[in-house]
Amino acid sequence: MALKHTILAFLSRQPLSGYDVAKEFAEGFGSCFWKASQQQVYAELTKLEQQGKVTYEAIPQPGRLDKKIYSITEQGQQELLDWLTKPCEPSAIREDLGVMGLAGHLVSSEVVIREIERRRQLHLEMVQQVKNLDEHFAKHLDSLELKDLYMHLIIRRGIRYQEEWVAWCDEALGAIAQAVKQ
Amino acid sequence: MALKHTILAFLSRQPLSGYDVAKEFAEGFGSCFWKASQQQVYAELTKLEQQGKVTYEAIPQPGRLDKKIYSITEQGQQELLDWLTKPCEPSAIREDLGVMGLAGHLVSSEVVIREIERRRQLHLEMVQQVKNLDEHFAKHLDSLELKDLYMHLIIRRGIRYQEEWVAWCDEALGAIAQAVKQ
DNA sequence: TTCTTGTATTCAAAAACTTGAATACAAAAA
DNA sequence: TTTTTGTATTCAAGTTTTTGAATACAAGAA
């Protein structure tokens, strides 16, 4: 389970509120690598706080619940370090679209084609979106410190992932078009 | 949730026992697209049976529990068809390795390099494994009926996915080597 | 002025998934 | 002969994730 460690990793870069962490998952890192809902983030932060891996400074907000700024503790840093040092396993793909490969012949080829075209468009948009995250790093590629290089490379993984999807969609659409024509 | 529909899709191709379905997830389709544990499969089949989407023929086995051969019902076929016709969303990546991009600088570059080299090797092996699934289809590429073409294309997605990982590992290792040298 | 969007947290229930185990026999390998 | 591997199903507990909602105020847009 990497949610815990992803949150610790965010906090190792800078203190953040639960809201900010959730936003990272929704927009920044998460948009290309790991998504988590707000509720999940808040629940995990509470658990991490109870375990002493993070602490928070409560900032009173007039008329509503305190805003909590979380930081990583010594213990949390250690947990993260241990985890980073251990090898991690690749995860499975888990794509709904895969079912088309098993049972696509049950629907008309138009449905399959439409779906792949839709996917192509979505991934094309994702390419741009993830490239935007990389903009700053891509500009100073030769003078990146290691911290930023790693970030760049992981974003590159996201970019390549989305580009690869587009390329596969093209391959698939071409093959289906040819097969249907015959 | 596509587990349900993936199982229905398997059964739309041929009747299978729970054990066989689990094997598909572990070896065939699952090795490149969706993994599910045996327990998950058995639980899901029980649920689908209660909902009338699959039925089973119990085959008595002397001295042990009946073997159940599941087939899809009319209702199950309809459910699958409806689902296939609806657009499906891309899923998030969810890779533990992503955390390296956020906090890799906390460990030595050797650790990062070792981890990426390890991943490269794993994905290289996966390329071969998935290519083996495609062997039959790749051979008769020009005479594939639609059913098999779809299967081929989805396996191609798996191959490309694994190849893309290898390519990214190379890119990353090159970039890190250069940065460390300086 | 009202509506929407953004900031900020929390609760609760359900669904999905993981982990670990028990049972039982056949067949092949050591 | 004993062990391992493969076939075949089920139970139970725990963790993770999803879904849906409530609360509350500020700021900007319509």
Side-chain angles (χ1 to χ4, degrees), chain A residues 143-167:
Chain A
S143 54
L144 245 40
E145 49 178 323
L146 215 51
K147 187 178 173 178
D148 289 336
L149 175 63
Y150 290 148
M151 182 57 105
H152 164 71
L153 288 172
I154 229 57
I155 297 173
R156 281 285 304 153
R157 186 70 198 84
I159 295 171
R160 296 186 67 136
Y161 175 81
Q162 301 295 342
E163 285 177 340
E164 177 58 26
W165 260 108
V166 175

Side-chain angles (χ1 to χ4, degrees), chain A residues 18-173:
Chain A
Y19 186 80
D20 292 328
V21 172
K23 211 160 62 171
E24 284 292 337
F25 276 110
E27 292 165 20
F29 178 79
S31 74
C32 87
F33 249 91
W34 195 291
K35 280 189 198 301
S37 66
Q38 244 180 6
Q39 297 92 317
Q40 242 183 309
V41 169
Y42 281 111
E44 199 63 45
L45 279 170
T46 304
K47 232 191 287 175
L48 284 168
E49 198 269 325
Q50 280 160 7
Q51 294 167 2
K53 283 162 191 163
V54 304
T55 36
Y56 63 85
E57 192 198 349
I59 297 181
Q61 312 255 106
R64 56 174 141 161
L65 294 169
D66 288 357
K67 176 173 171 172
K68 297 176 183 172
I69 304 291
Y70 287 90
S71 347
I72 194 167
T73 61
E74 196 59 46
Q75 202 194 323
Q77 180 102 4
Q78 195 52 54
E79 161 92 36
L80 178 57
L81 239 61
D82 289 349
W83 187 81
L84 283 168
T85 312
K86 274 185 287 186
C88 67
E89 294 311 307
S91 59
I93 305 188
R94 245 146 212 286
E95 273 286 349
D96 290 2
L97 192 64
V99 180
M100 278 287 181
L102 295 172
H105 58 282
L106 297 179
V107 294
S108 76
S109 63
E110 280 82 33
V111 170
V112 178
I113 291 168
R114 198 205 313 138
E115 188 58 22
I116 299 177
E117 277 171 346
R118 200 175 139 273
R119 283 299 286 254
R120 189 183 182 284
Q121 187 53 38
L122 283 172
H123 290 293
L124 207 53
E125 284 159 22
M126 282 302 292
V127 170
Q128 253 322 300
Q129 202 178 311
V130 186
K131 272 189 177 167
N132 289 342
L133 290 178
D134 193 42
E135 203 182 12
H136 166 74
F137 305 113
K139 223 178 268 173
H140 312 95
L141 210 55
D142 299 316
S143 54
L144 245 40
E145 49 178 323
L146 215 51
K147 187 178 173 178
D148 289 336
L149 175 63
Y150 290 148
M151 182 57 105
H152 164 71
L153 288 172
I154 229 57
I155 297 173
R156 281 285 304 153
R157 186 70 198 84
I159 295 171
R160 296 186 67 136
Y161 175 81
Q162 301 295 342
E163 285 177 340
E164 177 58 26
W165 260 108
V166 175
W168 175 82
C169 287
D170 286 334
E171 177 185 326
L173 288 170

Side-chain angles (χ1 to χ4, degrees), chain B residues 12-175:
Chain B
S12 80
R13 296 173 81 87
Q14 58 184 312
L16 294 167
S17 68
Y19 186 80
D20 293 327
V21 172
K23 212 160 61 169
E24 285 291 337
F25 276 109
E27 292 165 21
F29 179 79
S31 73
C32 88
F33 249 90
W34 194 291
K35 281 187 198 301
S37 66
Q38 244 180 8
Q39 296 93 317
Q40 240 183 311
V41 170
Y42 281 111
E44 199 62 45
L45 280 170
T46 303
K47 232 190 288 175
L48 284 168
E49 198 269 326
Q50 281 161 6
Q51 293 168 2
K53 283 161 191 164
V54 303
T55 37
Y56 64 84
E57 192 197 349
I59 297 180
Q61 311 256 104
R64 55 174 142 162
L65 295 169
D66 288 357
K67 176 173 170 174
K68 297 176 184 171
I69 304 291
Y70 287 91
S71 348
I72 194 166
T73 61
E74 194 60 46
Q75 204 194 322
Q77 181 100 6
Q78 195 53 54
E79 161 93 35
L80 178 56
L81 239 63
D82 289 348
W83 187 81
L84 284 168
T85 311
K86 274 184 289 185
C88 66
E89 293 312 307
S91 60
I93 304 188
R94 245 147 212 284
E95 274 286 348
D96 288 4
L97 192 64
V99 180
M100 279 286 181
L102 296 173
H105 58 282
L106 297 179
V107 295
S108 75
S109 63
E110 281 81 34
V111 170
V112 179
I113 291 168
R114 199 204 313 137
E115 188 58 22
I116 299 178
E117 277 170 347
R118 200 176 139 273
R119 284 299 286 254
R120 189 184 182 283
Q121 187 54 36
L122 283 172
H123 289 294
L124 208 53
E125 284 160 21
M126 282 302 292
V127 170
Q128 254 321 300
Q129 202 178 311
V130 185
K131 272 189 178 167
N132 288 343
L133 290 178
D134 193 41
E135 203 182 11
H136 166 75
F137 304 113
K139 223 179 268 173
H140 312 96
L141 211 54
D142 298 318
S143 55
L144 247 39
E145 50 177 323
L146 215 51
K147 187 178 173 178
D148 289 336
L149 176 63
Y150 290 149
M151 182 57 104
H152 163 71
L153 288 173
I154 228 59
I155 297 174
R156 281 285 303 154
R157 186 69 199 83
I159 295 171
R160 296 186 67 135
Y161 175 82
Q162 301 296 340
E163 285 177 340
E164 177 58 25
W165 260 107
V166 175
W168 175 82
C169 288
D170 286 335
E171 177 184 327
L173 287 170

